[in-house]
Amino acid sequence: MGEFLNQVLAGVANGGIYASLALALVMIYQATQHINFAQGEMATLSTFGAWFLFDAGMPYWVVFALTVFGSFIMGALVERLVVKPVGTASPFAFIAVTVGLLMIANSASHWVGGGDIREFPSPFPGWLGSRYLSAHETGTILVTMIVLVALLTFLKRTPFGLAMRAAAQNPVSSGFVGIRVGLMLTIGWGISAAIGAIAGMMVAPIAFLEPNMMGSILLYAFAGALLGGINNPTGAVIGSFAVGIFENLLGVYVTGSELKLTSALCLIVILLILRPSGLFGKAAVSRV
Amino acid sequence: MLRRTTSSRKPILIVGGAAALLLFACGPYFMNGYNIFQLTMLMSYAIALLGIVVLTGYCGQFSLGQGAFFGFGAYVAAVLIGKASLHYLLVLPVAAAASFVVGALVSLPAIRLKGIYLALTTFGLAVAFPQLLKHPGLEAVTGGVLGLTVSLPQPPEFLGVTQDHWLFLVSLVTTVIAFAVTAGLLRGRVGRAFIAISDNPTASVAMGVSLQHYKMLAFAFSSMLTGVAGAISALAVRYVAPDSFSMFLSVTLLVGAVVGGVKSVWGVIFGALFMLYVPNIANQISEAAPWAVYGAALILVVTFIPDGIASLFDRFIGRRRNAAAEPTGVYAPSGVK
């Protein structure tokens, strides 16, 4: 039983990581009604930025703030310079552009970081750790919760968040009531890149920093976001923890660790077919 | 989407195309082994891109997992030659049939998904595929992480050609068949059904076009083409390994298709040329540069010439496509329409 509990908690620790990236995916979906395939690679690039700031000798939380801010700017610039000119009317074009961004961000990470695997510091003091979760794992879950609360407050409790959701769901009507739809998209991309950067800095101490760090984590984050509902931040976090536990238990007791990605893929497929809106999401209704 | 060539230019195009094909077929007599290998890879890429044209360009289904089908075909070829010692001329048809079946199976869940969800699922397939190949349970067949080596087919002696040249000829015949079958399929009833599904699924159903039937056919046919392409590449490269068929291969194929023109059968030639030569050129700048070049090319083409290089060529020789070719915002948020 103790062993089982250990495995569940190891899954919770992984889930905390998936949840942090899943929040970035939810954010971009809230802002654009699309999925950004480059989310993971952009986060990796941000994390490389943070690594160089550490290397210059700055203290952790200063670097943290600078990276989050810098990533916001990066995300906003990407929207303005790359995504906007394409337009979002054709989903194929949008997917193609985010895949293009994925390749460019991956290439940029290779270019700035080389092939080396780097260690990345964890900011959390040792007393946060316990018998079951390390200090960093507990800290990651805490940070994810803080991001979740901040995101929920922003989206649900501020006029700005309401405007952003409106702009994504119905750009034309939102424009008529005076919402600056273009600005909302830009800021949405900025915020999701910033959340992605936080996720990257939480992942890097565990997974080591290298250009393909986020590759498989992105798939789990997708699974988590879809499980909980990609238009529901709380659901996405719960879903990510569930995916983390499910994946770990399945890996330990059933399939072995070699099939973890495949089981995540199967989970995504089953979910999308049986309940595309996720456990906590609202079903999308579209007029034909 | 239906293409019509102005009648006066059609004979010129046919003669020009035949001349180009003949020139291409004679190429190996003036080349060294490596260049012949490159031409073979060019044909492999072209067939694989043809699969994307069918599935994405015509039927409107986004797949980011074509690399997995490519890898499947490559592994079928490698296993059949290495473990089952099948005659290599039988390998390509068997790989085609196996890939067709796998494509049909993958389509069972895939036809229920649309737009970004399908892209996401196929992306997942591409990410998970190498891990599946490395699975210890399959190691006896797939060779695990190390992969398998593939012996090159022996040419019949009366031809008096090298192994590379013989493989080139086999690939050439395969390519011509693939193009002829695909062009025929897309020009007829099936092609029109694909276009209808892509333009407006609801209206297609109302017109009696079975979404399930045609989407399944599109997936299976596309997988078959891509699998054959993979088999040719396995023969040409003489080696298969799990990490050759990573998510990046799928993305590379997508870039090739978009650059050539995702709605054009002939555009795949430009896409294949791009896939073959651009990375080599970019590699001279830096090792990480090819990805950046691919990514930048993808974004630039989507932004400025959404129908790819083929559309420039079409405009040049006076082909016109009618207004229905414009993508409709079926999956776009409701306000966008």
Side-chain angles (χ1 to χ4, degrees):
Chain A
M1 195 60 211
E3 169 62 16
F4 182 77
L5 189 66
N6 267 332
Q7 294 302 340
V8 169
L9 286 168
V12 169
N14 287 347
I17 288 174
Y18 307 153
S20 59
L21 192 61
L23 281 175
L25 295 170
V26 170
M27 180 62 223
I28 201 81
Y29 192 82
Q30 291 273 1
T32 65
Q33 301 276 308
H34 280 292
I35 288 172
N36 178 8
F37 284 96
Q39 200 79 65
E41 313 296 313
M42 283 167 66
T44 309
L45 189 58
S46 299
T47 316
F48 269 105
W51 193 89
F52 282 106
L53 292 178
F54 284 126
D55 213 35
M58 289 192 197
Y60 189 93
W61 293 107
V62 175
V63 172
F64 186 89
L66 280 178
T67 308
V68 170
F69 182 71
S71 304
F72 178 87
I73 302 290
M74 173 182 81
L77 281 179
V78 162
E79 200 278 334
R80 275 285 138 137
L81 301 178
V82 180
V83 181
K84 196 176 182 185
V86 184
T88 51
S90 149
F92 178 72
F94 190 92
I95 292 169
V97 165
T98 62
V99 169
L101 283 172
L102 181 158
M103 303 179 92
I104 293 176
N106 186 276
S107 175
S109 294
H110 271 286
W111 185 64
V112 299
D116 312 339
I117 293 175
R118 291 157 203 268
E119 287 199 37
F120 196 87
S122 166
F124 304 108
W127 54 262
L128 264 178
S130 59
R131 253 183 67 202
Y132 300 107
L133 292 176
S134 74
H136 184 76
E137 287 164 348
T138 318
T140 301
I141 293 170
L142 279 176
V143 167
T144 304
M145 291 305 163
I146 294 169
V147 173
L148 171 65
V149 170
L151 191 62
L152 277 178
T153 314
F154 169 72
L155 286 172
K156 299 277 160 82
R157 302 268 176 231
T158 65
F160 204 89
L162 179 67
M164 183 170 283
R165 285 186 290 143
Q169 281 165 21
N170 197 333
V172 177
S173 305
S174 305
F176 286 152
V177 297
I179 294 169
R180 291 177 64 188
V181 175
L183 184 69
M184 293 300 148
L185 290 175
T186 309
I187 292 175
W189 269 81
I191 296 177
S192 84
I195 298 176
I198 297 176
M201 285 184 280
M202 294 300 119
V203 171
I206 300 174
F208 294 109
L209 182 57
E210 51 100 13
N212 298 324
M213 171 178 85
M214 285 292 200
S216 49
I217 293 176
L218 182 69
L219 193 62
Y220 296 122
F222 272 135
L226 288 170
L227 178 61
I230 194 147
N231 46 17
N232 180 337
T234 319
V237 168
I238 298 173
S240 298
F241 280 116
V243 167
I245 297 168
F246 165 83
E247 165 237 7
N248 207 48
L249 292 182
L250 208 63
V252 172
Y253 294 108
V254 188
T255 58
S257 61
E258 293 87 2
L259 282 178
K260 280 185 169 185
L261 281 171
T262 312
S263 53
L265 170 67
C266 293
L267 180 70
I268 291 179
V269 171
I270 293 167
L271 271 172
L272 284 175
I273 289 171
L274 296 182
R275 199 172 157 79
S277 51
L279 295 178
F280 310 101
K282 277 195 214 110
V285 181
S286 66
R287 195 170 58 185
V288 224
Chain B
M1 246 313 275
L2 292 173
R3 269 144 257 196
R4 290 280 177 266
T5 308
T6 42
S7 54
S8 62
R9 303 205 185 184
K10 200 165 187 181
I12 305 174
L13 280 178
I14 292 173
V15 172
L21 187 64
L22 198 67
L23 198 68
F24 184 78
C26 294
Y29 288 107
F30 313 103
M31 288 176 173
N32 62 23
Y34 180 69
N35 290 120
I36 299 174
F37 161 78
Q38 281 191 314
L39 289 187
T40 306
M41 286 310 287
L42 187 73
M43 291 187 279
S44 160
Y45 291 147
I47 299 174
L49 298 183
L50 212 48
I52 300 184
V53 168
V54 170
L55 186 62
T56 307
Y58 275 75
C59 201
Q61 310 299 306
F62 315 133
S63 170
L64 296 180
Q66 294 301 106
F69 296 116
F70 193 88
F72 178 78
Y75 263 88
V76 168
V79 171
L80 286 178
I81 291 175
K83 309 271 172 183
S85 318
L86 193 71
H87 191 271
Y88 52 87
L89 279 184
L90 286 173
V91 164
L92 291 180
V94 174
S99 303
F100 188 89
V101 173
V102 162
L105 290 178
V106 169
S107 81
L108 290 178
I111 53 180
R112 283 154 223 269
L113 307 171
K114 56 184 182 178
I116 49 173
Y117 294 117
L118 179 59
L120 176 55
T121 314
T122 48
F123 179 77
L125 180 66
V127 173
F129 185 68
Q131 205 190 32
L132 207 58
L133 288 175
K134 290 178 200 164
H135 191 269
L138 296 172
E139 206 168 299
V141 182
T142 62
V145 184
L146 295 176
L148 298 166
T149 49
V150 182
S151 54
L152 206 61
Q154 282 299 331
E157 286 195 8
F158 65 88
L159 277 176
V161 292
T162 61
Q163 286 181 323
D164 286 314
H165 193 165
W166 171 238
L167 182 61
F168 170 88
L169 292 174
V170 172
S171 311
L172 185 64
V173 171
T174 315
T175 310
V176 170
I177 294 173
F179 268 79
V181 171
T182 308
L185 186 83
L186 294 179
R187 199 172 294 139
R189 180 191 179 86
V190 175
R192 286 197 301 275
F194 285 169
I195 296 167
I197 290 171
S198 156
D199 281 352
N200 194 332
T202 314
S204 324
V205 175
M207 300 292 284
V209 174
S210 162
L211 289 190
Q212 209 148 358
H213 177 94
Y214 283 107
K215 279 188 186 178
M216 198 166 172
L217 181 63
F219 267 100
F221 193 78
S222 160
S223 163
M224 180 184 80
L225 290 172
T226 314
V228 169
I232 291 177
S233 94
L235 290 172
V237 178
R238 304 180 205 183
Y239 176 63
V240 290
D243 289 324
S244 316
F245 308 110
S246 69
M247 180 262 288
F248 283 106
L249 175 65
S250 299
V251 175
T252 313
L253 289 168
L254 177 76
V255 177
V258 169
V259 167
V262 81
K263 288 178 178 170
S264 163
V265 170
W266 307 108
V268 300
I269 297 166
F270 302 109
L273 284 169
F274 180 89
M275 286 179 67
L276 189 63
Y277 291 109
V278 170
N280 286 348
I281 300 167
N283 242 329
Q284 290 161 5
I285 307 170
S286 99
E287 216 168 288
W291 294 127
V293 171
Y294 267 126
L298 182 59
I299 292 173
L300 289 175
V301 170
V302 165
T303 311
F304 297 109
I305 33 172
D307 288 323
I309 295 174
S311 67
L312 302 179
F313 192 65
D314 281 352
R315 216 177 296 163
F316 179 67
I317 62 168
R319 288 183 177 200
R320 288 278 177 272
R321 70 186 46 220
N322 65 27
E326 288 303 309
T328 52
V330 178
Y331 304 131
S334 52
V336 171
K337 272 186 245 179

